[in-house]
């Protein structure tokens, strides 16, 4: 649908308004892969909201940059020569050629490989390749240098996480994150973290929202989809994923905190002093009981502390960040980072990396089975687009269950006892619907 | 004379190694993982670093984080998992065919060991529409002798994609 096809757009908005009904636990399947919904998402969601792009340790020096994606657009995330982190559309103002054709690197300026238009590390237009004498002849009326500044997104960081948005005004990153930041601290704020190597990427034939929603809200699938764990005696039973809390921190974010009942924290004693410097008492108490944590920052930024397992004689976990990068209504490029405490003991670094890769990378024993589900759901949705009636999906688990009283858990948000619930998925779709209908209300 | 013909191995050993790799491919394509695991030494390091796009001459292989980062015990766990009735990603199984070519043999740094490089192409078809993925790359193996057979002590897999075009690596490389 073209953005100028107003009648079609009005019909689409009406259909979303009428059928996306998280309040009753009903989501129509067409929203999974409808190309018109996807186009609306690129414009009103990915074009406006805060998007995660990387971790500060990936661009350590003035001039360091990485190339990332916002919506479907390539962007440069770079540290200027003044050390400030900025985000630019990876496109020359002359003819739109990509300025950075590599994944990462270091540079003092951007020179377009097509005609040589050149930009400083702050995005300022420096000149044409041919230099000032040529410019005088070619542009006798002068070049408006300000209009040639690279297109720049608004960029902010939280605890080393780099985000950007194309919205010139609107909420700050802190406002966008809201109460989920308390939980993000447990994974990226507990110590000085650094990215291990580079992010791993692979392409899955799924709509981007299916995995995002899974990490936000779906602990229940572990009992079936990942039941190999109990088959092999690695967890106490198929319902191992239930112990803990299902949390709706607002803003469309969602998470689950899994807890254990042992006396000792599973995290290494060597790091506890650093944790104590960085976390408050409630966060420390939560970390001491934590055995896993999965969640999603709206719309497509996932975080995970995988379930601790014993590997090579020691109990370890990893720290995963992930972006579900849309690449069409039924294709997603997965970006997966693994982080570790910079000052961690070597055994924790080595075994944590192994544990993460074996459970949650492209070869991860969990991820493998998840991709099978998301692909099949995507195909079902594609085929169902032409059904004469709506195909409603069931999102009602936990509907009517009240959250725990605040005194029961130290963290913010609506906290539900036990991780098996779909409350956070319902909130996700409420916020998603509000974003998509923004212009229609 | 080429490096390999100059005396790394004699012709009989070269043929023995070809047979070794053909048999390995057969074991994997036939999903005989328990027999496949017997080809590895207990100290095995099994890794697959990530490829990136960079301006030359910067290296395009990054070893920090990989697609695989395994030991013999974790590969054994993966095989056990695949034998359960709940390994959804490979049950029903993919149709796979591994083509192993371009065998190159050099003496390894440790005496008595061989450094063996082969190219591989893994064809993997799943589902009901005949779609398939191709995973192509190079294996960099270190082999050591135990009795009358070779054992793989180290395997580093270089995949020729910076963003994998298969939805998961539920298959062994």
């Amino acid at each position: 649908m073209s953005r100028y096809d107003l009648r079609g757009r009005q019909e689409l908005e009406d259909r979303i308004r009428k059928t996306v009904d998280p309040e009753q636990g009903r989501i129509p399947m067409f929203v999974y892969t409808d190309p018109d919904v996807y186009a609306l998402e690129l414009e009103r969601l990915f074009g406006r909201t805060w998007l995660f792009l990387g971790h500060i340790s990936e661009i350590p020096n003035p001039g360091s940059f990485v190339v990332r994606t916002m919506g479907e657009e390539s962007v440069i995330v770079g540290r200027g020569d003044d050390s400030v982190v900025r985000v630019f559309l990876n496109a020359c103002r002359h003819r739109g050629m990509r300025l950075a054709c590599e994944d990462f690197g270091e540079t003092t300026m951007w020179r377009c490989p097509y005609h040589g238009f050149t930009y400083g590390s702050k995005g300022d237009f420096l000149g044409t390749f041919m230099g000032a004498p040529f410019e005088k002849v070619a542009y006798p009326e002068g070049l408006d240098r300000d209009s040639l500044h690279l297109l720049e997104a608004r960029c902010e960081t939280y605890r080393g996480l780099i985000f950007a948005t194309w919205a010139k005004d609107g909420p700050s990153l802190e406002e966008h994150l809201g109460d989920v930041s308390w939980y993000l601290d447990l994974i990226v704020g507990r110590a000085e973290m650094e990215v291990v190597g580079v992010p791993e990427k692979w392409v899955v034939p799924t709509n981007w929202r299916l995995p995002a929603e899974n990490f936000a809200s779906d602990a229940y699938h572990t009992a079936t989809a990942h039941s190999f764990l109990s088959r092999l005696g690695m967890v106490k039973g198929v319902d191992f994923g239930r112990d803990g809390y299902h949390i709706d921190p607002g803003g469309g974010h969602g998470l689950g905190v899994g807890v254990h009942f042992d006396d000792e924290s599973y995290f290494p004693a060597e790091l506890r002093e650093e944790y104590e410097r960085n976390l408050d008492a409630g966060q420390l108490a939560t970390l001491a009981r934590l055995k896993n944590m999965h969640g999603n920052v709206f719309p497509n930024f996932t975080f995970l502390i995988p379930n601790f397992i014993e590997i090579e004689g020691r109990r370890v976990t990893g720290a995963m960040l992930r972006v579900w990068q849309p690449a069409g209504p039924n294709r997603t490029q997965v970006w997966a980072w693994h982080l570790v405490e910079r000052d961690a003991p070597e055994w924790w670094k080595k075994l944590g990396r192994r544990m993460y890769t074996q459970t949650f990378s492209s070869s991860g024993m969990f991820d493998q089975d998840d991709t099978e589900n998301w692909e099949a759901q995507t195909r079902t949705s594609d085929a169902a687009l032409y059904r004469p009636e709506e195909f409603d999906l069931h999102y009602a688990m936990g509907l009517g269950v009240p959250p725990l009283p605040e005194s029961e858990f130290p963290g913010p948000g609506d906290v539900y006892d036990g991780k098996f619930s779909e409350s956070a998925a319902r909130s996700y779709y409420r916020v998603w619907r509000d974003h998509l209908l923004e212009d229609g209300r | 004379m080429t490096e390999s013909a100059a005396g790394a191995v004699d012709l009989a050993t070269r043929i023995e190694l070809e047979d070794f790799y053909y048999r390995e491919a057969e074991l994997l394509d036939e999903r005989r993982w328990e027999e496949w695991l017997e080809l590895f030494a207990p100290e095995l390091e099994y890794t697959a670093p990530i490829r990136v796009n960079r301006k030359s001459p910067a290296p395009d292989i990054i070893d920090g984080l990989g697609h695989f980062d395994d030991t013999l015990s974790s590969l054994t766990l993966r095989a056990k998992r695949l034998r359960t009735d709940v390994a959804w990603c490979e049950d029903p199984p993919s149709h796979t065919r591994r083509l192993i070519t371009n065998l190159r043999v050099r003496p390894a740094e440790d005496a008595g060991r061989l450094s063996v490089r082969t190219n591989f192409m893994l064809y993997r078809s799943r589902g009901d529409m005949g779609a398939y993925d191709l995973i192509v790359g190079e294996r960099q193996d270190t082999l050591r002798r135990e009795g009358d057979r070779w054992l793989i002590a180290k395997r580093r897999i270089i995949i020729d994609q910076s963003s994998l075009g298969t939805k998961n690596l539920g298959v062994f490389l």
Side-chain angles (χ1 to χ4, degrees):
Chain A
M1 180 179 70
S2 145
R3 59 193 296 165
Y4 301 108
D5 179 359
L6 295 177
R7 199 173 60 107
R9 169 147 292 184
Q10 190 57 51
E11 280 172 17
L12 178 64
E13 288 179 6
D14 289 346
R15 186 176 178 194
I16 291 171
R17 191 173 291 110
K18 214 179 313 171
T19 60
V20 176
D21 191 4
E23 290 76 8
Q24 301 300 317
R26 267 201 308 269
I27 305 295
M29 188 165 228
F30 83 95
V31 302
Y32 279 0
T33 63
D34 187 305
D36 296 339
V37 170
Y38 180 74
L40 203 59
E41 282 178 326
L42 285 183
E43 183 187 326
R44 295 187 184 169
L45 194 55
F46 291 97
R48 295 177 190 179
T49 193
W50 286 99
L51 300 170
F52 175 74
L53 296 176
H55 188 260
I56 202 77
S57 65
E58 297 181 88
I59 45 170
N61 308 311
S64 304
F65 70 90
V66 292
V67 175
R68 298 287 143 90
T69 313
M70 293 172 70
E72 291 190 0
E73 292 182 308
S74 178
V75 295
I76 296 169
V77 183
R79 253 191 215 271
D81 49 22
D82 55 357
S83 244
V84 173
V85 180
R86 295 183 181 83
V87 176
F88 306 111
L89 192 70
N90 186 10
C92 181
R93 297 303 307 268
H94 179 224
R95 287 291 186 280
M97 170 61 191
R98 282 192 178 192
L99 297 170
C101 301
E102 60 268 63
D103 295 344
F104 61 93
E106 300 219 354
T107 188
T108 52
M109 64 175 182
W110 300 103
R111 173 159 289 160
C112 178
Y114 194 2
H115 299 93
F117 276 46
T118 305
Y119 306 85
S121 67
K122 300 185 192 73
D124 43 321
F125 177 71
L126 294 181
T128 60
F129 181 53
M130 302 295 282
F134 168 76
E135 278 172 30
K136 267 195 193 129
V137 178
Y139 306 102
E141 292 171 4
L143 275 171
D144 178 359
R145 287 171 183 264
D146 288 343
S147 75
L148 289 170
H149 195 281
L150 293 180
L151 294 181
E152 187 169 350
R154 190 150 59 100
C155 174
E156 289 182 29
T157 63
Y158 179 78
R159 297 269 202 175
L161 306 175
I162 304 167
F163 290 79
T165 174
W166 292 115
K168 293 202 165 29
D169 318 296
S172 66
L173 176 62
E174 197 185 335
E175 287 164 339
H176 170 72
L177 294 176
D179 282 343
V180 81
S181 56
W182 193 91
Y183 299 95
L184 281 175
D185 289 353
L186 298 179
I187 179 164
V188 294
R190 66 187 190 227
E192 183 168 350
M193 305 296 284
E194 62 184 14
V195 170
V196 179
V198 293
E200 185 193 16
K201 290 179 276 180
W202 68 103
V203 175
V204 181
T206 175
N207 176 268
W208 66 272
R209 225 180 308 110
L210 299 175
E213 166 198 318
N214 173 291
F215 276 88
S217 180
D218 190 346
Y220 184 56
H221 81 291
T222 58
T224 314
H226 306 311
S227 53
F228 79 89
L229 284 166
S230 63
R231 283 281 205 291
L232 297 178
M234 296 168 72
V235 292
K236 64 179 176 60
V238 287
D239 62 346
F240 74 97
R242 186 167 190 277
D243 297 336
Y245 305 92
H246 180 92
I247 299 169
D248 173 2
H253 319 308
L255 73 149
V257 171
V259 298
H260 61 76
F261 302 100
D262 294 339
D263 295 336
E264 275 289 297
S265 167
Y266 289 177
F267 286 87
E270 295 95 319
L271 290 167
R272 276 180 212 155
E273 263 183 45
E274 187 173 5
Y275 295 165
E276 283 164 18
R277 282 200 301 277
N278 289 303
L279 300 177
D280 69 28
Q283 288 171 322
L284 285 168
T286 307
L287 200 68
R289 294 172 63 203
L290 193 119
K291 72 168 182 180
N292 62 47
M293 181 173 77
H294 60 86
N296 188 69
V297 175
F298 189 85
N300 67 334
F301 171 43
T302 277
F303 56 92
L304 173 76
I305 298 174
N307 200 60
F308 273 85
I309 57 172
E310 197 168 295
I311 174 171
E312 294 168 50
R314 304 196 77 145
R315 192 153 46 197
V316 290
T317 190
M320 180 190 90
L321 303 178
R322 198 170 271 196
V323 166
W324 310 103
Q325 191 60 59
N330 49 20
R331 260 173 105 229
T332 298
Q333 183 174 50
V334 186
W335 286 68
W337 292 257
H338 169 63
L339 288 82
V340 74
E341 292 89 342
R342 194 195 65 190
D343 296 323
E346 277 312 305
W347 67 267
W348 174 255
K349 286 188 176 180
K350 183 176 117 184
L351 298 182
R353 191 192 70 222
R354 281 200 174 145
M355 183 276 181
Y356 162 72
T357 308
Q358 292 165 16
T359 53
F360 275 97
S361 65
S362 61
S363 76
M365 287 181 268
F366 288 80
D367 258 305
Q368 293 175 18
D369 293 330
D370 286 327
T371 54
E372 199 71 11
N373 295 323
W374 302 329
E375 178 181 10
Q377 287 174 277
T378 296
R379 280 187 64 185
T380 307
S381 172
D382 274 344
L385 289 175
Y386 305 99
R387 291 180 64 85
E389 292 162 8
E390 294 293 353
F391 179 167
D392 283 331
L393 296 161
H394 195 261
Y395 276 70
M397 189 184 296
L399 201 63
V401 176
L404 288 169
E406 266 178 47
S407 56
E408 292 289 308
F409 187 80
D414 285 344
V415 178
Y416 298 89
D417 192 18
K419 279 170 66 187
F420 292 173
S421 172
E422 289 163 356
S423 287
R426 288 190 288 277
S427 292
Y428 184 99
Y429 272 100
R430 264 196 296 276
V431 172
W432 178 86
R433 184 186 57 195
D434 289 349
H435 272 83
L436 261 61
L437 298 182
E438 195 171 14
D439 290 353
R441 278 176 302 170
Chain B
M1 280 178 117
T2 66
E3 198 181 346
S4 154
V9 289
D10 56 26
L11 194 59
T13 308
R14 189 182 167 83
I15 291 171
E16 188 189 356
L17 290 171
E18 277 186 11
D19 285 347
F20 177 87
Y21 283 107
Y22 294 161
R23 176 161 179 271
E24 186 198 359
E26 182 178 68
L27 293 175
L28 285 172
D29 288 337
E30 294 181 358
R31 304 164 58 80
R32 290 153 64 189
W33 302 302
E34 293 77 8
E35 291 169 77
W36 175 66
L37 290 168
E38 288 172 9
L39 304 179
F40 294 100
E43 72 274 20
L44 171 71
E45 289 174 33
Y46 182 97
T47 57
I50 291 173
R51 302 295 291 279
V52 293
N53 304 304
R54 297 187 70 186
K55 295 278 281 178
S56 54
D60 71 354
I61 298 175
I62 306 287
D63 276 296
L65 183 73
H67 306 292
F68 280 103
D69 193 346
D70 280 67
T71 60
L72 186 55
S73 76
S74 67
L75 287 185
T76 305
L77 179 66
R78 289 176 183 275
K80 275 189 191 154
R81 189 190 94 83
L82 288 168
R83 285 282 179 240
T84 68
D85 60 342
V86 290
W88 314 107
C89 81
E90 273 296 314
D91 195 10
S94 301
H95 307 291
T96 65
R97 195 63 65 187
R98 288 166 177 79
L99 307 181
I100 311 295
T101 70
N102 302 54
L103 177 76
R104 286 148 288 162
V105 188
R106 295 181 187 85
E109 278 176 27
D110 294 344
R113 293 181 176 230
L114 294 178
S115 162
V116 183
R117 295 192 177 198
T118 50
N119 294 354
F120 68 86
M121 182 157 84
L122 168 55
Y123 165 93
R124 181 192 198 193
S125 179
R126 284 190 67 66
D128 50 0
M129 292 297 283
Y132 61 86
D133 300 333
L134 289 178
I135 309 169
V136 180
E138 179 183 86
R139 288 166 169 174
Q140 302 175 347
D141 291 353
T142 302
L143 266 57
R144 71 171 169 82
R145 199 82 182 168
E146 191 163 277
D148 60 353
R149 55 194 203 111
W150 292 105
L151 290 179
I152 304 165
K154 207 174 194 177
R155 169 164 289 174
R156 184 167 177 253
I157 304 149
I158 309 297
I159 299 175
D160 295 333
Q161 270 177 323
S162 62
S163 177
L164 296 183
T166 192
K167 65 184 168 182
N168 62 54
L169 285 172
V171 288
F172 296 110
L173 300 175

